[in-house]
């Protein structure tokens, strides 16, 4: 089922009609075989709409032997590649073969991305399979508007596309459009409510199931399974029991009955996402149980139905004492979960934030991902820009995620994060054996804004996430180029060049005017982590300190003299981070407390690096304003105006970051800027 938005004000993102013109102008045969189901119907309808708009022709048939008279053949064949597709061109015909309709849908969109190049010279078969078995987006949407977090927690693009006025929307046409976007980039799982499960949202598991089924009906035709975030306290909150103890037979029976009801309503339901014993959410600790006990309780309820529990490892003490230099929030996930390796049931996936703190622009990779070889793991990313500018700043995150997924964390730095979470060995010529596979998850950045993501250019983050989850080895700059070509088909070449100028290195530019050298969290708590507040968390019960004084700055996380966090890593990273001489500059202040005059590998002192990088980054952002202004008339007016407004705010905010951080370091250190630039 293909949805055309009912509102002319909804931006088509990377699937405008013009992007399908190369396909739509051809003669296309779709051969689905038997039982292609709703995804097969989507493939047919996508081609039907494209050919109707662009003068091509569609034939739907089951003649597996004939390709005569067609430019493109889309075929379901039992011998196609598992979970993927193969594309080839022979005798002037482009052929896409997949083992099922979902693979064929992904192959269809591969042709869309290739454009006219898909119909060029003959070429041998090229096979594409997703690396991660689960490629999920988690929506932190609330049914009721939360008094602090709003309707979408960490949402910067308006309200929820799922909920309005205290209930699931009657008109779910935006959800249908969204499902089409996700199917086109290979996302296959969506959790539709906040991991912080409040009382109304908890009832989606019971009273709200019929509405959840309506949502699932819209995702299913695009190969996307629906999940719910659930409260660990549901037996008490919803079932009237006096306990949620995993060992209690009545609790076990309640969850089993709840799972039975869900699957009776939604037979292809994916499973549960759970945040427990974290930031006030209930969990098994209240009953003297551990997280394996809690996760396995839900897993055993889901197992008869083929469901999965995604259990978040974001567990730490949020009532810390800043006076205690041994307290370290970064240690918490490893300390809680590493001892539990091997105790989780097979249908539990432990969902681990990519860094040990909280989605900072720069963090080391979480050591938990290397510490649990007998556990299914998923790495969690954040598409929504909580710590990267609230979708008011241009900050293309593809390069960050590419570094995360490609980081060689385990097995003597031979096995990267993508291969860990996908159950693949480090050495690519080694058989995979029975390595557990989880997947890649991320927090969505979508709301009911006209442009989906508030900032039109933030759509590129959603696009790149899906494409990197499918193929973590993809070049993020090439993916950006792909997104530009789809979003602005046929545009003046200056559009593409300008967008690359703004976006290619925008993550590094953002990092350069915010918290330096990996220290993180110099954000304003009162504005939801937007804008500078250098001491915003310095005396906070939530942790995340920088310990700046007159002599130096940074957190000593070494084994020798600090919190011991560096010792949670396997070799060679343990030794790399422990030693001041080998610790990378970009993570220096995460692992070490150093004098302001400490000389970086770059040759600059810490304090001069801070002065220079902040000032230079503002100059870069300021230059973007004129570069974008020059595209007036070359992109749609509304989109141009929205981006121009956001760029003005980015310059204002970056300037504030520059001045506050430079002044703070000067007042602490007493060291002037060697360039003589003003410090306030």
């Amino acid at each position: 089922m293909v949805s055309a938005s009912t509102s002319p004000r909804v931006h088509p993102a990377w699937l405008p009609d013009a992007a399908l013109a190369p396909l739509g102008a051809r003669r296309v045969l779709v051969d689905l075989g038997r039982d292609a189901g709703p995804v097969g119907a989507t493939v047919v309808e996508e081609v039907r709409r494209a050919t109707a708009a662009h003068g091509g022709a569609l034939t739907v048939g089951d003649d597996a032997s004939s390709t005569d008279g067609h430019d493109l053949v889309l075929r379901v064949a039992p011998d196609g590649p598992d979970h993927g597709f193969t594309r080839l061109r022979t005798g002037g015909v482009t052929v896409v073969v997949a083992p099922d309709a979902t693979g064929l849908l992904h192959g269809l969109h591969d042709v869309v991305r290739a454009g006219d190049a898909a119909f060029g010279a003959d070429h041998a078969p090229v096979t594409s399979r997703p690396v991660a078995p689960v490629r999920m987006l988690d929506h932190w949407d609330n049914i009721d508007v939360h008094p602090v977090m709003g309707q979408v927690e960490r949402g910067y693009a308006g309200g929820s596309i799922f909920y309005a006025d205290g209930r699931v929307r009657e008109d779910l046409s935006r959800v249908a459009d969204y499902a089409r976007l996700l199917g086109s980039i290979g996302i296959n799982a969506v959790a539709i409510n906040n991991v912080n499960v409040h009382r109304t949202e908890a009832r989606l598991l019971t009273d709200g199931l019929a509405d959840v089924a309506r949502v699932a009906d819209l995702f299913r035709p695009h190969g996307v399974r629906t999940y719910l975030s659930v409260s660990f306290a549901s037996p008490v909150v919803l079932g009237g029991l006096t306990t949620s103890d995993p060992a209690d037979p009545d609790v076990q029976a309640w969850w089993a009955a709840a799972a039975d009801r869900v699957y009776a309503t939604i037979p292809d339901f994916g499973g549960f996402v759970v945040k427990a014993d974290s930031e006030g959410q209930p969990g098994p600790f209240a009953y003297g149980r551990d997280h394996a006990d809690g996760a396995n309780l839900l897993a055993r309820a889901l197992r008869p139905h083929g469901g999965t529990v995604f259990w978040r490892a974001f567990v730490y003490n949020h009532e810390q004492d800043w006076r205690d230099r041994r307290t370290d929030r970064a240690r918490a996930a490893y300390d809680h979960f590493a001892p539990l390796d091997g105790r989780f049931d097979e249908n539990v996936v432990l969902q681990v934030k990519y860094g040990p703190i909280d989605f900072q622009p720069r963090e080391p990779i979480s050591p938990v991902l290397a510490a649990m070889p007998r556990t299914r793991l998923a790495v969690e990313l954040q598409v929504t820009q909580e710590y990267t500018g609230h979708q008011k700043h241009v900050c293309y995150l593809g390069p960050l995620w590419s570094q995360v997924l490609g980081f060689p964390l385990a097995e003597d730095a031979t096995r990267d994060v993508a291969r860990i979470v996908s159950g693949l060995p480090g050495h690519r010529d080694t058989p995979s054996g029975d390595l557990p596979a989880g997947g890649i998850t991320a927090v969505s950045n979508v709301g009911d804004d006209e442009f989906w993501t508030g900032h039109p250019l933030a759509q590129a983050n959603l696009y790149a996430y899906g494409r990197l989850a499918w193929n973590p080895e993809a070049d993020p700059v090439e993916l950006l180029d792909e997104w530009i070509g789809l979003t602005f088909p046929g545009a003046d070449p200056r559009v593409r060049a300008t967008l690359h100028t703004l976006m290619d290195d925008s993550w590094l530019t953002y990092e350069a005017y915010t918290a330096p050298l990996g220290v993180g969290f110099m954000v304003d708590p009162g504005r939801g982590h937007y804008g500078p507040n250098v001491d915003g968390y310095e005396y906070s019960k939530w942790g995340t300190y920088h310990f700046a004084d007159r002599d130096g700055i940074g957190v000593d996380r070494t084994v020798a003299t600090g919190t011991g966090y560096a010792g949670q890593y396997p070799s060679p990273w343990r030794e790399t981070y422990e030693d001041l001489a080998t610790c990378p500059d970009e993570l220096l202040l995460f692992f070490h407390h150093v004098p302001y005059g400490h000389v970086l590998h770059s040759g600059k002192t810490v304090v001069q690096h801070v002065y220079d990088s902040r000032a230079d980054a503002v100059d870069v952002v300021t230059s973007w304003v004129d570069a974008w202004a020059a595209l007036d008339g070359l992109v749609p007016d509304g989109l141009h105006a929205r981006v121009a407004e956001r760029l003005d705010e980015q310059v204002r905010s970056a300037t504030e970051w520059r001045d506050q951080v430079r002044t703070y370091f000067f007042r602490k250190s007493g060291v002037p800027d060697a360039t003589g630039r003003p410090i306030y």
Side-chain angles (χ1 to χ4, degrees):
M1 179 175 67
V2 177
S3 170
S5 176
T6 58
S7 170
R9 297 189 63 251
V10 176
H11 190 264
W14 53 86
L15 289 179
D17 285 344
L20 279 73
L23 178 150
R26 263 73 183 193
R27 298 161 298 171
V28 185
L29 169 65
V30 178
D31 177 8
L32 295 171
R34 298 180 180 179
D35 302 322
V39 181
T42 297
V43 172
V44 171
E45 189 55 32
E46 285 281 4
V47 177
R48 188 186 309 280
R49 189 168 77 172
T51 52
H54 299 290
L58 166 66
T59 301
V60 180
D62 58 3
D63 183 354
S65 62
S66 175
T67 61
D68 293 345
H70 298 97
D71 305 301
L72 172 65
V73 175
L74 303 170
R75 175 171 291 145
V76 172
D79 57 350
D82 290 345
H83 309 294
F85 60 89
T86 295
R87 174 160 64 91
L88 68 150
R89 187 161 175 84
T90 180
V93 180
T94 300
V95 180
V96 177
V97 179
D100 55 28
T102 301
L104 200 63
L105 177 66
H106 297 148
L108 166 68
H109 284 286
D110 178 67
V111 172
V112 173
R113 288 188 290 269
D116 284 322
F119 304 97
D122 285 6
H123 63 80
V126 177
T127 295
S128 179
R129 296 184 181 90
V131 170
V134 177
R135 305 170 301 281
M136 178 185 283
L137 280 165
D138 292 347
H139 282 261
W140 288 359
D141 293 30
N142 302 312
I143 298 177
D144 292 333
V145 177
H146 189 273
V148 176
M149 294 299 182
Q151 186 171 48
V152 182
E153 183 166 335
R154 310 306 182 193
Y156 313 109
S160 172
I161 64 172
F162 302 108
Y163 314 113
D165 304 317
R167 57 174 299 177
V168 174
R169 291 176 178 268
E170 287 297 326
D171 179 3
L172 291 173
S173 57
R174 283 293 295 267
V175 176
D177 291 345
Y178 180 57
R180 180 178 179 237
L181 291 175
L182 298 191
S184 76
I185 55 174
I187 299 298
N188 65 355
V190 168
I192 65 170
N193 63 304
N194 195 353
V195 293
N196 293 313
V197 183
H198 307 294
R199 183 168 291 271
T200 302
E201 291 74 24
R203 305 200 73 84
L204 288 171
L205 187 60
T206 52
D207 304 349
L209 272 181
D211 280 331
V212 176
R214 291 172 52 223
V215 174
D217 287 346
L218 298 176
F219 281 116
R220 185 177 300 111
H222 300 274
V224 182
R225 296 179 74 181
T226 300
Y227 289 68
L228 283 177
S229 296
V230 298
S231 170
F232 190 79
S234 291
V236 174
V237 174
L238 304 176
L241 302 185
T242 59
T243 181
S244 294
D245 185 350
D248 188 291
D250 290 340
V251 172
Q252 296 166 6
W254 188 90
W255 279 109
D260 291 345
R261 288 193 301 272
V262 171
Y263 283 90
T265 307
I266 311 168
D268 61 347
F269 182 73
F272 300 146
V273 178
V274 185
K275 176 180 178 180
D277 288 319
S278 180
E279 300 182 329
Q281 289 296 303
F285 284 171
Y287 307 99
R289 315 298 179 188
D290 61 33
H291 280 259
D293 298 324
N296 292 343
L297 165 70
L298 275 63
R300 289 164 191 173
L302 291 170
R303 183 185 299 152
H305 309 284
T308 302
V309 175
F310 281 78
W311 188 274
R312 296 181 85 235
F314 186 55
V315 177
Y316 70 98
N317 173 18
H318 69 285
E319 298 285 345
Q320 299 182 81
D321 185 347
W322 59 269
R323 301 166 185 84
D324 178 8
R325 293 289 281 263
R326 301 290 299 184
T327 298
D328 188 1
R329 173 171 162 178
R331 289 187 55 105
Y334 184 103
D335 288 343
H336 284 303
F337 287 96
L340 302 179
D341 186 36
R343 286 201 42 224
F344 291 95
D345 284 5
E346 290 184 0
N347 60 325
V348 174
V349 176
L350 189 63
Q351 186 166 316
V352 183
K353 287 190 178 185
Y354 81 83
I357 298 291
D358 193 15
F359 299 129
Q360 297 301 291
R362 179 76 68 172
E363 293 185 57
I365 306 303
S366 172
V368 177
L369 293 164
M372 306 188 70
R374 296 178 294 165
T375 301
R376 295 178 67 192
L377 299 173
V379 62
E380 184 179 22
L381 309 173
Q382 191 176 47
V383 185
T384 193
Q385 292 178 232
E386 177 180 357
Y387 295 100
T388 52
H390 284 203
Q391 282 145 234
K392 297 178 182 179
H393 295 219
V394 177
C395 189
Y396 175 52
L397 294 169
L400 167 60
W401 300 329
S402 179
Q403 287 190 20
V404 169
L405 295 171
F407 188 82
L409 181 65
E411 297 176 12
D412 295 321
T414 66
R415 193 173 183 217
D416 63 31
V417 170
R419 299 184 77 80
I420 291 170
V421 301
S422 301
L424 299 174
H427 296 284
R428 293 165 196 248
D429 56 353
T430 302
S432 62
D434 296 321
L435 294 172
I440 300 174
T441 68
V443 187
S444 174
N445 64 343
V446 162
D448 66 0
D449 184 85
E450 171 188 358
F451 293 105
W452 294 100
T453 56
H455 198 311
L457 305 189
Q459 292 179 14
N461 286 331
L462 182 59
Y463 181 86
Y465 167 71
R467 299 286 286 124
L468 284 167
W470 182 281
N471 177 17
E473 295 184 353
D475 182 331
V477 175
E478 291 181 3
L479 293 181
L480 176 59
D481 196 58
E482 201 173 84
W483 173 80
I484 293 169
L486 292 169
T487 305
F488 303 95
D492 187 293
R494 288 172 288 177
V495 173
R496 186 183 298 270
T498 299
L499 287 169
H500 277 293
T501 297
L502 268 64
M503 299 178 72
D504 284 0
D505 296 319
S506 54
W507 160 53
L508 297 177
T509 301
Y510 183 89
E511 179 187 29
Y513 61 77
T514 54
L517 301 172
V519 71
F521 257 100
M522 291 182 168
V523 290
D524 193 335
R527 289 190 289 168
H529 303 153
Y530 183 75
N533 186 336
V534 180
D535 280 337
Y537 279 87
E538 192 56 23
Y539 308 102
S540 167
K541 67 181 182 179
W542 299 91
T544 66
Y545 316 117
H546 58 67
F547 297 125
D549 55 28
R550 67 179 184 178
D551 299 316
I553 188 170
V555 184
D556 184 353
R557 290 189 164 101
T558 66
V559 174
T561 58
T563 70
Y565 168 76
Q568 293 182 341
Y569 284 89
S571 293
W573 303 111
R574 178 190 300 116
E575 295 81 8
T576 298
Y577 296 142
E578 178 79 12
D579 189 342
L580 192 58
T582 56
C583 184
D585 284 350
E586 63 269 19
L587 293 173
L588 176 70
L589 301 184
F590 192 95
F591 284 100
H592 297 274
H593 187 88
V594 299
Y596 296 106
H598 173 80
V599 178
L600 302 171
H601 296 106
S602 68
K604 289 187 179 182
T605 64
V606 166
V607 71
Q608 193 60 45
H609 167 84
V610 171
Y611 293 154
D612 290 348
S613 53
R614 263 106 280 267
D616 292 346
V618 173
D619 291 344
V620 170
V621 173
T622 302
S623 73
W624 293 349
V625 173
D626 288 342
W628 181 256
L631 298 186
D632 190 15
L634 301 180
V635 297
D637 291 345
L639 186 147
H640 189 273
R642 176 69 69 86
V643 173
E645 170 261 316
R646 299 287 159 121
L647 285 174
D648 286 344
E649 166 57 18
Q650 186 167 2
V651 171
R652 185 209 64 78
S653 180
T655 302
E656 189 73 7
W657 271 103
R658 177 197 66 191
D659 293 343
Q660 286 202 26
V661 174
R662 281 167 50 87
T663 295
Y664 183 92
F665 273 70
F666 173 67
R667 292 179 180 178
K668 284 287 185 182
S669 70
V671 178
D673 181 351
T675 70
R677 285 172 294 199
I679 295 181
Y680 301 96

